[in-house]
Amino acid sequence: MRLKHLFVEFLKSRGIECISTNSRKVLGEDPIAYIARNFVSGKFRIFEGQGRFSFDLDGNRIDACRYVAWKSREGIGREEIEDRLGDFPYLVVDCSLAGLHSEKELRSLKKQVNWTLRVVREFMWDERYVVAGMDTGTSAQHFPSVEDFLDQVRPGKVILLDPGAEEEFRGENADCYIIGGIVDKTGNKRGTTALIYERLVKNGYSVERRKILLRGDVIGVPDRINHIAEIVLRAVMDGTSVEEAILSVQSRKIARWRLRKEIVKNSEKIKRNSRSFRVIRKSFFEDVKTWLNVELEDFYRCASDMGIIVVDVDFNPAKIFNVCG
Ligand SMILES: C[S@@+](CC[C@H](N)C(=O)[O-])C[C@H]1O[C@@H](n2cnc3c(N)ncnc32)[C@H](O)[C@@H]1O
């Protein structure tokens, strides 16, 4: 359950059916998520009054509401749902390998780490987001290292997301998910997430490693830190399948990488007049489009990039060509 759903449940249990607040910032994001995270961060309390911007509990703007969430010493506060907040996991980005990055990669790393805060805010609140080994100037929690965080907070089950892991991530619950603060623009950091795992184990921490796969392969899984965060949080907190979570963040570009691989794997080799060709049936597109964010034009483009001919559904190579093994 996302924080905003818990918050709505809580308001309803108090007979509160709408909420208002005064900051214009509420208009820039999901209003209920905004009010909920400020409430659990202890910045807002809820009391009778009229704020400037009012919403029903589905987040629709309404004319007025007699409850306001705003700065006050009075009213309902975070402590009243404190006992439910422990169920939310921590999401940690380990930036200890920042030294391996070029200037360009470092800039991208900072952006991705900051975008991850936006993702976390859709599901939880800033306190649950931890950045280790890098100062971001945001309201995420900062620790010198993941080890410092683990020593201080002592979460139970810890999962490190690692594309090189043996075991697959299937949306398992954990108290803490660690993502490597690694940006791989040059392609020379393959396997570096394992360095984080080895270091944590060497330092005496118990960590499980999991890889995120799309139908058995990491190709097609977006690997930006903010995307990995969103996949994990959707699967864990919304209860969607990992595949659905991947599709919700997968760009067409990343989908095309996987599409190329699938086209090659599913193409047939045929021979005519001692020349061989590879063909792929157009109907194959109907299959892949259910689990890759691709359009028919991507299918033609990828096939053509690899010199593979797209043929009609009723194409029968045996009638026209000699089919090779
Ligand atoms: C850009 S990736 C870097 C991966 C790195 N090149 C490697 O091979 O270990 C950044 C981080 O996202 C997470 N990540 C990316 N793809 C993943 C996948 N398919 N499964 C699990 N974690 C993944 C990992 O935590 C990783 O450290």
Side-chain angles (χ1 to χ4, degrees):
M1 187 191 273
R2 296 186 186 202
L3 175 67
K4 74 168 191 174
H5 297 132
L6 175 68
F7 182 61
V8 165
E9 221 178 59
F10 169 70
L11 292 179
K12 285 185 175 165
S13 74
R14 295 304 179 94
I16 298 174
E17 294 292 338
C18 63
I19 193 78
S20 69
T21 190
N22 289 315
S23 171
R24 184 164 284 280
K25 286 186 191 159
V26 75
L27 304 177
E29 58 178 286
D30 178 330
I32 303 299
Y34 171 83
I35 295 170
R37 74 181 159 78
N38 279 290
F39 175 72
V40 299
S41 302
K43 288 185 194 143
F44 294 173
R45 295 178 77 87
I46 296 166
F47 50 97
E48 285 203 29
Q50 171 66 60
R52 285 171 66 200
F53 306 104
S54 304
F55 304 90
D56 66 20
L57 297 185
D58 292 326
N60 302 309
R61 191 89 184 261
I62 54 174
D63 291 339
C65 172
R66 68 187 181 92
Y67 292 98
V68 60
W70 195 241
K71 296 158 200 163
S72 169
R73 295 221 179 109
E74 310 296 320
I76 303 167
R78 165 199 163 112
E79 59 286 353
E80 305 206 20
I81 51 168
E82 187 89 54
D83 59 329
R84 303 284 307 275
L85 300 181
D87 298 342
F88 289 89
Y90 286 91
L91 191 106
V92 179
V93 177
D94 181 341
C95 297
S96 60
L97 299 172
L100 299 180
H101 292 70
S102 65
E103 279 302 312
K104 192 174 167 198
E105 286 173 331
L106 267 183
R107 279 197 297 276
S108 177
L109 175 60
K110 285 194 177 137
K111 272 194 206 152
Q112 291 185 30
V113 170
N114 287 350
W115 287 333
T116 303
L117 177 61
R118 284 194 226 156
V119 173
V120 169
R121 285 178 170 181
E122 284 176 33
F123 293 85
M124 309 187 284
W125 69 108
D126 305 19
E127 208 180 277
R128 280 324 212 222
Y129 181 39
V130 173
V131 182
M134 189 170 85
D135 189 16
T136 64
T138 68
S139 49
Q141 288 206 67
H142 292 81
F143 281 85
S145 68
V146 173
E147 286 83 338
D148 287 305
F149 162 76
L150 295 173
D151 288 345
Q152 191 172 316
V153 176
R154 301 197 169 275
K157 180 168 166 168
V158 179
I159 291 183
L160 170 69
L161 282 309
D162 180 353
E166 296 268 310
E167 282 184 61
E168 185 175 348
F169 175 67
R170 298 184 189 276
E172 296 90 334
N173 282 318
D175 301 294
C176 168
Y177 298 93
I178 303 176
I179 300 176
I182 302 164
V183 169
D184 212 353
K185 287 200 184 298
T186 48
N188 62 357
K189 296 187 201 66
R190 204 184 152 91
T192 39
T193 313
L195 299 176
I196 296 176
Y197 177 74
E198 284 155 17
R199 191 195 75 224
L200 289 173
V201 170
K202 192 171 133 235
N203 289 337
Y205 298 90
S206 162
V207 179
E208 297 181 22
R209 284 165 95 193
R210 293 283 187 281
K211 61 184 166 195
I212 300 172
L213 297 181
L214 175 61
R215 302 212 173 186
D217 203 319
V218 288
I219 298 176
V221 179
D223 71 346
R224 282 189 181 181
I225 297 160
N226 47 309
H227 287 150
I228 294 293
E230 188 161 347
I231 293 167
V232 169
L233 294 178
R234 275 181 186 270
V236 170
M237 301 185 66
D238 289 347
T240 62
S241 68
V242 173
E243 181 168 309
E244 265 178 272
I246 292 170
L247 287 195
S248 71
V249 299
Q250 186 191 55
S251 67
R252 268 172 85 179
K253 182 177 163 196
I254 287 178
R256 282 198 299 265
W257 292 346
R258 179 63 180 270
L259 180 60
R260 287 195 183 88
K261 190 168 178 183
E262 293 298 320
I263 289 177
V264 171
K265 209 165 76 186
N266 291 281
S267 64
E268 292 170 58
K269 194 172 176 190
I270 56 171
K271 212 170 176 189
R272 188 185 191 194
N273 300 336
S274 74
R275 283 189 64 197
S276 23
F277 304 85
R278 290 206 84 88
V279 299
I280 180 90
R281 285 168 202 279
K282 194 173 159 192
S283 56
F284 181 63
F285 172 69
E286 296 304 318
D287 172 15
V288 283
K289 82 169 189 204
T290 61
W291 57 278
L292 287 177
N293 286 328
V294 284
E295 304 284 338
L296 188 58
E297 67 180 270
D298 297 307
F299 186 65
Y300 280 113
R301 179 172 147 190
C302 291
S304 150
D305 287 351
M306 292 173 301
I308 294 175
I309 302 162
V310 178
V311 293
D312 267 339
V313 182
D314 53 4
F315 170 78
N316 183 352
K319 281 196 182 150
I320 312 166
F321 303 111
N322 305 315
V323 182
C324 316

